[in-house]
Amino acid sequence: MRGDRARHSCLHRLDDSRPDLLLPSPPASTPPLHPADLTRIQVVGEARPGLLTALTAAFRQLGLDVRRSELRKDADGSVHDVFYVAREDDGKALQTQSEKDDVRKQLLSLVRPPPGGRSAATLRGRPAPRADSTGTIVDATRQQEALFSLMDSYIKNDVLSIQQSIVNHVEYTLARSRLRFDDQEAYLATAHAVRDRLIEAWNDTNTWFKEEDPKRVYYLSMEYLQGRALLNALYNLDLEPNFREALLELGYGLETVAEREQDAALGNGGLGRLASCFLDSMATLDLPAWGYGIRYQYGMFRQSIVDGFQLENPDYWLTFGNPWEIQRDTVSYPVRYYGDVEVKDEGGRQMWHWRAGEEVRAVAYDNPIPGFATPNTINLRLWAAKPVSGLDLEAFNTGDYVQAILQRQRAETITSVLYPDDRTYEGKELRLRQQYFFTSASLQDVIRRFKERHSDWNEFPEKCQFQLNDTHPVIAVPELMRLLMDGEGLGWTKSWSIVTRVFSYTNHTVMPEALEAWDVRMVEKLLPRHMQIIYDLNWRFLESMKRAGHHDEGLLSRLSIISERYGQKTLHMANLACCASHTINGVAAIHSELIKKTVLKDFHTVYPEKFQNKTNGVTQRRWLAFCNPMLRELITETIGSDAWIRDLTAIRPLADRADDPKLQAKWRAIKRSNKERLAALVLERTGIVVSPDALFDVHVKRIHEYKRQLLNVYGVIDRYLRIKAGDKAVQPRVIMFGGKAAPGYDMAKRIIKLVSAVGQVVNNDPDVGDLLKVVFLPDYNVSSAEVIIPGTELSQHISTAGTEASGTSNMKFAMNGSLIIGTLDGATVEIAEEIGEKNVFLFGALADQVPRLQAERAGFHPSSRFRAVLDAVSSGRFGWADYFRPLVETVTGGRDHYLVANDFESYLEAQARVDAAYADEETWTRMSILSTAGCAKFSSDRTISEYAEDIWGVTPCRRPE
Ligand code: NBG
């Protein structure tokens, strides 16, 4: 049961001055039972993977403590297992017949008859007489067995057992002395101890899925922004208190140890983090789901700020090894590139043979993803590229041995680095190689799994669904066609009918430049067979459109998967996705409507029924319950239940208490304490001292013009100018920025420099003091977000309306009681609906006004305040006037595509409302409580349930506990 603390004893300190010198002592609270008090249960049945864990779980559920077991597996595939059990509570054996029947029934449901054809296992409790080996129960009372140990059940989770796991890993995994290990080693050993427990759950879940063979969903994503795993796993497995205590007694703080973990940053931003939240929800909801992706050796670059400029440092996150993954050398598939295609007549049928020019192997690395309050742990399978085994003798024989080795090594570069551009698309061959690499390996893996149980391909769509996370994995479409036709020998029609029933596509942006498109010549060279399939597919698709009555040439050419301009052909992945997918979705209501009118308009014309909305969500576990433990306790105490951690709709009643002064006081105290933690982070990362008395105003996300960090910094300058002009009545504020700029994104980098330069001036101006501080927090990532978000009072989501598909940090901030200043864009629209517009500081042009305002911007006259801000920048008040010139020019002279000047006045006015509200503690706290209470909709559990129901048609598959 959750929350049940296992009994424990501990490792004693021999000498307090040497906290690392430890000696085990026997468990205190396990009374040594006389064997006569035990019941002997014998199980005879067919051996199968997971049987033992299922049996031990069943014992646990029945309240029976297995004190000893003897396990035997025979060559004929049968097991003869004997368990000696006692009641957990009073230690007595099974007393009544009905108790025994219960146990018998439960265990029998898990056992199949042994292969020899004998009847199913018979189970009887004491005091049945000991029987022969036919599988009946033997009375243990007459057995004189003094010493016994528990073997082959789940690893125990009492504090002592945990300590032993940790110390064992120090010695046997890390090969360090158990008497001396540092924080880093403590982390690694702890992680391994958790991993052992995860693997049990993960193995059993996979076995269960295999046995049940449900319809499964596979999430295909180039990015996963997992962040740290340790605390999340401990909370999800309900092991946090015992691990905390175990470590404490060993002399280590859980938080300190957890801090040593490197973020797994295999993603750029929102899209990758969404994939990670989805995995958490899929596991928690018991869905038979797996994630597939790439095991990059270098994740998202680490950002440092030197003299106000962004520097990119490589993130070689695997330096100290990664305890969370399981390398599976035996799970590997060939992935091929280049070469040519030959067509042969085979039995009157044309068969295509791709003679590839290069082959690499995709090797699986499995990452267990535990669900919360469920025994299920699902899998994130990431692929790494390795050279093919076996030597290319020809190359080696030509004499250039070293060159031949280097050539082989090239394979590994495929998965070496994550592309750090989140939106701008560059047609780099390596990226297409990556996309093909992971989708091909994933499809081969799924097909292998399918074929283990099935031979009828018609069943494939009933067993396998694939979600395409943006256009990145869309090359999976022709790859599945190829695998079915060239690999499995299916015809075109049948293959296409399968393909169109298994894929669905999520669009994450309306920016046309982010929709991937490839130079056909490049694809032809890299994947010649796929390009053939795409040509064929496109021709058939356009013919089908004509048959369906679409004859408009313009429409047909816009639908075409391949376009041609000035003799150059381009392959449009979004078109391919739309034509093959049974469902297409946007990620917030406004976004799903917009794509129908803009980037996917033509597909909406021809396939209106394919379009859906699935508003994004975030996992309230990582993003509220775990990163904000004090607020978790307060919420639970206030509404009298922690059910909201599993079902966020249960948080709604919190709203009824928003005016309660006692709750408000506690609410404020928690925010205060989280602000202090954030202030400490600011000091550590920037050397800037900020006062927790000021309003903490935060703008963290990727730096992008459409996200309008420029609007914020111009607002900061206006505030500074007002203070300088003598307006000292302003609300003291700390304004923090954070986020990475794509390395080649010049404007974004200039914005970072401008923030730093403004901070330099403002923070050192004695006229300003604590009235205003401006901070650029370097290296924003998942784990810093876990500190920043709980400590924030106001967060900014101020993209030009219609440009942010959804946003997900808006949800995280609101959950943590941060108020939002924002435009009616992305999911902020729905957040405002849920928590009430008057509890959100909304401003700016609406999405449907934006196109007109953009068209009219040549005639727009900015306000005098806006002009004063630009003058300050241009005149060099913050230095670097030349470097900042493009930042001024981009919002003047009729350019200002993102309407910074247009929205400026309205933004300042909203900020003035913020100041006024903040001055009234009660109003502010009330709004803050209502923000948290209003977030029920924004759990990724809700989002994933909708995908499961409306798109994938998959249902939960929970393994028995
Ligand atoms: C991003 C959007 C966000 C959205 C996330 C997750 C890309 C291409 N898109 O608004 O910009 O929240 O996807 O859907 O990264």
Side-chain angles (χ1 to χ4, degrees):
M1 285 290 99
R2 293 193 72 78
D4 260 357
R5 295 285 302 282
R7 60 177 173 275
H8 72 272
S9 174
C10 54
L11 295 168
H12 286 314
R13 280 204 184 124
L14 270 189
D15 171 355
D16 273 352
S17 62
R18 296 184 57 197
D20 46 7
L21 189 56
L22 304 160
L23 190 73
S25 71
S29 53
T30 313
L33 271 183
H34 189 273
D37 290 332
L38 298 175
T39 296
R40 183 179 193 276
I41 298 179
Q42 181 168 3
V43 179
V44 178
E46 183 194 18
R48 63 173 174 89
L51 174 62
L52 192 57
T53 34
L55 287 172
T56 30
F59 284 130
R60 208 177 311 161
Q61 230 174 17
L62 289 161
L64 295 175
D65 213 14
V66 179
R67 298 297 172 86
R68 186 191 167 196
S69 60
E70 291 157 4
L71 306 172
R72 199 179 95 210
K73 188 172 163 194
D74 289 353
D76 69 350
S78 63
V79 291
H80 301 257
D81 294 348
V82 180
F83 302 89
Y84 297 88
V85 304
R87 277 248 159 269
E88 262 173 4
D89 39 10
D90 60 4
K92 293 262 170 53
L94 304 176
Q95 307 277 339
T96 67
Q97 191 55 42
S98 83
E99 265 186 313
K100 279 173 237 156
D101 287 347
D102 262 8
V103 173
R104 196 168 160 275
K105 216 165 81 198
Q106 277 268 3
L107 297 183
L108 272 175
S109 71
L110 302 171
V111 190
R112 290 199 209 111
R118 265 178 298 164
S119 61
T122 341
L123 308 167
R124 274 191 222 123
R126 188 176 158 270
R130 179 166 195 165
D132 56 16
S133 59
T134 53
T136 46
I137 292 306
V138 181
D139 185 355
T141 52
R142 269 162 272 144
Q143 301 269 322
Q144 291 304 309
E145 322 224 20
L147 290 167
F148 48 77
S149 62
L150 185 67
M151 31 184 303
D152 287 307
S153 63
Y154 286 111
I155 306 174
K156 293 181 66 168
N157 289 322
D158 58 278
V159 174
L160 175 64
S161 305
I162 289 171
Q163 286 173 328
Q164 270 164 349
S165 303
I166 295 175
V167 174
N168 281 348
H169 278 298
V170 170
E171 180 146 15
Y172 304 120
T173 306
L174 309 179
R176 295 290 299 167
S177 157
R178 54 172 69 204
L179 302 184
R180 215 173 303 117
F181 51 98
D182 61 19
D183 283 350
Q184 179 66 29
E185 287 150 357
Y187 157 66
L188 282 173
T190 307
H192 276 282
V194 179
R195 167 200 164 108
D196 294 343
R197 287 155 173 84
L198 274 175
I199 287 178
E200 290 178 335
W202 173 85
N203 262 329
D204 287 2
T205 309
N206 287 333
T207 308
W208 183 252
F209 287 174
K210 210 172 191 165
E211 281 173 12
E212 292 292 294
D213 191 32
K215 185 180 195 181
R216 303 204 202 193
V217 60
Y218 300 103
Y219 200 76
L220 301 182
S221 178
M222 275 272 256
E223 302 190 8
Y224 291 90
L225 203 43
Q226 291 284 93
R228 288 179 177 147
L230 177 59
L231 288 177
N232 187 70
L234 286 179
Y235 278 116
N236 272 8
L237 298 173
D238 197 23
L239 294 177
E240 187 261 354
N242 284 16
F243 266 78
R244 180 180 295 282
E245 192 168 334
L247 278 168
L248 204 65
E249 285 171 1
L250 292 172
Y252 298 85
L254 176 59
E255 265 77 27
T256 319
V257 166
E259 277 289 307
R260 305 306 295 230
E261 181 175 354
Q262 306 245 17
D263 273 37
L266 308 184
N268 270 284
L271 173 140
R273 184 53 233 177
L274 183 78
S276 295
C277 283
F278 279 5
L279 291 178
D280 183 84
S281 289
M282 293 192 283
T284 299
L285 297 174
D286 299 319
L287 294 181
W290 271 25
Y292 276 112
I294 297 176
R295 181 183 181 267
Y296 301 105
Q297 285 175 298
Y298 292 86
M300 187 59 190
F301 67 83
R302 309 246 176 96
Q303 177 194 55
S304 56
I305 303 292
V306 175
D307 294 333
F309 291 101
Q310 165 176 300
L311 290 189
E312 297 100 32
N313 313 300
D315 167 52
Y316 190 67
W317 66 296
L318 299 166
T319 316
F320 296 106
N322 175 10
W324 304 107
E325 65 185 10
I326 304 149
Q327 182 176 345
R328 303 176 72 77
D329 289 326
T330 51
V331 183
S332 98
Y333 299 93
V335 177
R336 298 175 300 159
Y337 301 100
Y338 305 110
D340 49 44
V341 182
E342 204 185 31
V343 58
K344 283 190 191 150
D345 189 278
E346 284 172 19
R349 197 160 155 191
Q350 279 193 330
M351 289 300 282
W352 305 87
H353 294 273
W354 176 18
R355 293 180 309 197
E358 189 183 317
E359 184 173 316
V360 300
R361 290 198 81 74
V363 175
Y365 284 73
D366 286 342
N367 299 260
I369 308 289
F372 177 80
T374 164
N376 279 24
T377 286
I378 60 169
N379 194 21
L380 167 58
R381 179 161 282 178
L382 301 178
W383 301 103
K386 303 271 156 98
V388 282
S389 43
L391 300 178
D392 176 352
L393 283 178
E394 202 191 326
F396 280 83
N397 286 341
T398 54
D400 199 346
Y401 168 79
V402 171
Q403 266 311 318
I405 296 272
L406 293 180
Q407 188 61 29
R408 282 166 56 80
Q409 200 135 37
R410 226 171 72 89
E412 293 182 18
T413 60
I414 295 174
T415 49
S416 57
V417 57
L418 165 79
Y419 274 93
D421 313 76
D422 63 338
R423 232 153 294 257
T424 41
Y425 152 80
E426 265 182 294
K428 287 275 192 291
E429 191 193 79
L430 177 60
R431 187 170 164 91
L432 183 57
R433 276 164 73 93
Q434 292 184 334
Q435 298 181 344
Y436 178 62
F437 172 79
F438 98 93
T439 50
S440 172
S442 308
L443 288 172
Q444 292 182 62
D445 198 33
V446 171
I447 287 179
R448 180 202 37 85
R449 192 169 306 124
F450 174 78
K451 283 168 61 177
E452 275 173 13
R453 301 281 290 244
H454 303 271
S455 47
D456 180 359
W457 282 100
N458 290 319
E459 290 169 7
F460 192 69
E462 282 317 306
K463 290 293 167 189
C464 309
Q465 288 292 310
F466 299 93
Q467 190 67 35
L468 301 166
N469 197 23
D470 220 287
T471 52
H472 318 154
V474 172
I475 195 70
V477 170
E479 172 66 354
L480 184 56
M481 284 299 282
R482 185 188 73 85
L483 290 168
L484 294 177
M485 293 192 303
D486 304 356
E488 303 297 330
L490 306 188
W492 178 282
T493 312
K494 181 149 189 185
S495 302
W496 185 240
S497 131
I498 292 170
V499 166
T500 47
R501 280 180 290 153
V502 298
F503 287 108
S504 27
Y505 157 60
T506 306
N507 172 285
H508 291 268
T509 177
V510 290
M511 314 239 143
E513 64 269 27
L515 297 184
E516 289 177 306
W518 300 102
D519 182 340
V520 165
R521 282 169 310 186
M522 192 186 91
V523 186
E524 233 151 24
K525 193 169 127 235
L526 188 69
L527 300 170
R529 176 66 182 123
H530 297 76
M531 205 54 232
Q532 282 182 339
I533 292 172
I534 293 167
Y535 272 122
D536 202 346
L537 194 163
N538 193 40
W539 184 81
R540 290 167 192 253
F541 165 60
L542 294 176
E543 287 303 304
S544 78
M545 287 292 106
K546 287 182 210 159
R547 278 198 307 276
H550 302 293
H551 297 291
D552 175 45
E553 282 299 319
L555 175 69
L556 291 172
S557 80
R558 291 190 306 273
L559 289 172
S560 178
I561 299 166
I562 300 156
S563 70
E564 186 162 356
R565 239 183 127 195
Y566 308 122
Q568 182 165 336
K569 288 186 186 153
T570 307
L571 167 59
H572 298 272
M573 300 312 263
N575 294 33
L576 182 51
C578 290
C579 126
S581 299
H582 57 78
T583 319
I584 301 164
N585 75 285
V587 290
I590 183 178
H591 169 67
S592 297
E593 286 309 307
L594 267 173
I595 56 176
K596 294 186 201 166
K597 295 182 200 131
T598 58
V599 280
L600 304 181
K601 178 171 185 282
D602 299 308
F603 281 92
H604 182 250
T605 308
V606 298
Y607 293 134
E609 71 288 352
K610 286 191 183 185
F611 283 72
Q612 293 194 9
N613 171 53
K614 292 285 164 280
T615 298
N616 282 168
V618 303
T619 163
Q620 72 271 27
R621 291 166 287 278
R622 179 180 291 263
W623 294 111
L624 175 53
F626 308 157
C627 73
N628 199 343
M630 287 185 286
L631 203 60
R632 171 186 71 222
E633 296 308 320
L634 181 59
I635 294 168
T636 299
E637 175 195 312
T638 308
I639 59 184
S641 151
D642 66 1
W644 60 272
I645 303 178
R646 210 172 191 282
D647 170 11
L648 196 55
T649 60
I651 207 168
R652 289 200 171 110
L654 186 64
D656 306 335
R657 302 280 302 279
D659 291 309
D660 176 350
K662 280 205 199 102
L663 174 64
Q664 285 208 352
K666 289 184 191 166
W667 196 268
R668 277 193 293 271
I670 289 171
K671 186 58 87 180
R672 171 77 189 197
S673 155
N674 288 331
K675 283 172 75 180
E676 282 163 8
R677 189 161 64 127
L678 173 52
L681 182 80
V682 170
L683 180 63
E684 179 200 314
R685 298 272 166 94
T686 67
I688 300 171
V689 177
V690 297
S691 162
D693 292 332
L695 190 171
F696 278 16
D697 167 344
V698 171
H699 196 177
V700 284
K701 44 186 91 245
R702 286 298 290 260
I703 311 291
H704 204 290
E705 286 160 282
Y706 86 83
K707 295 183 189 274
R708 296 199 298 190
Q709 283 91 356
L710 199 53
L711 176 59
N712 184 356
V713 67
Y714 284 164
V716 172
I717 295 173
D718 172 81
R719 185 171 285 262
Y720 174 63
L721 297 178
R722 264 161 44 221
I723 295 171
K724 289 299 275 181
D727 184 355
K728 296 281 156 78
V730 296
Q731 171 61 49
R733 281 209 201 204
V734 178
I735 301 177
M736 300 178 217
F737 292 79
K740 294 171 185 178
Y745 191 173
D746 180 67
M747 274 298 202
K749 290 185 145 179
R750 286 176 204 255
I751 293 171
I752 293 178
K753 175 66 183 167
L754 179 61
V755 172
S756 304
V758 171
Q760 192 68 28
V761 170
V762 171
N763 300 344
N764 295 306
D765 188 331
D767 289 349
V768 177
D770 272 348
L771 285 181
L772 184 59
K773 286 275 181 280
V774 183
V775 174
F776 191 93
L777 261 170
D779 206 34
Y780 177 61
N781 61 7
V782 171
S783 37
S784 63
E786 288 168 12
V787 177
I788 294 169
I789 293 170
T792 296
E793 290 171 300
L794 178 75
S795 70
Q796 306 216 22
H797 307 276
I798 59 176
S799 48
T800 314
T803 61
E804 187 70 273
S806 161
T808 40
S809 77
N810 41 6
M811 304 168 184
K812 298 170 195 164
F813 279 105
M815 266 180 201
N816 284 274
S818 157
L819 303 196
I820 287 179
I821 179 165
T823 45
L824 278 169
D825 198 18
T828 305
V829 177
E830 289 157 79
I831 296 178
E833 267 166 31
E834 292 291 309
I835 68 189
E837 277 201 16
K838 57 185 186 310
N839 298 309
V840 179
F841 302 99
L842 296 172
F843 74 95
L846 303 177
D848 57 5
Q849 302 166 336
V850 165
R852 179 181 53 81
L853 293 171
Q854 283 174 331
E856 292 170 359
R857 62 199 188 273
F860 182 75
H861 296 290
S863 68
S864 57
R865 274 168 93 175
F866 190 68
R867 278 180 285 129
V869 166
L870 296 190
D871 283 348
V873 175
S874 311
S875 66
R877 189 138 180 190
F878 308 100
W880 300 89
D882 285 342
Y883 186 69
F884 295 144
R885 184 164 309 124
L887 298 181
V888 171
E889 285 171 356
T890 189
V891 294
T892 48
R895 279 173 293 269
D896 200 13
H897 181 69
Y898 295 106
L899 304 179
V900 174
N902 291 68
D903 278 349
F904 192 66
E905 283 303 303
S906 151
Y907 176 64
L908 294 182
E909 180 272 328
Q911 284 289 18
R913 278 187 277 138
V914 169
D915 286 336
Y918 195 75
D920 177 352
E921 227 176 42
E922 273 152 47
T923 309
W924 187 273
T925 314
R926 178 172 193 281
M927 292 169 84
S928 170
I929 297 172
L930 290 175
S931 292
T932 302
C935 275
K937 178 176 173 185
F938 305 105
S939 166
S940 45
D941 298 342
R942 189 266 314 144
T943 315
I944 284 298
S945 308
E946 290 178 9
Y947 275 92
E949 203 160 307
D950 309 339
I951 299 184
W952 307 325
V954 297
T955 50
C957 181
R958 188 188 181 102
R959 76 173 168 98
E961 272 174 270

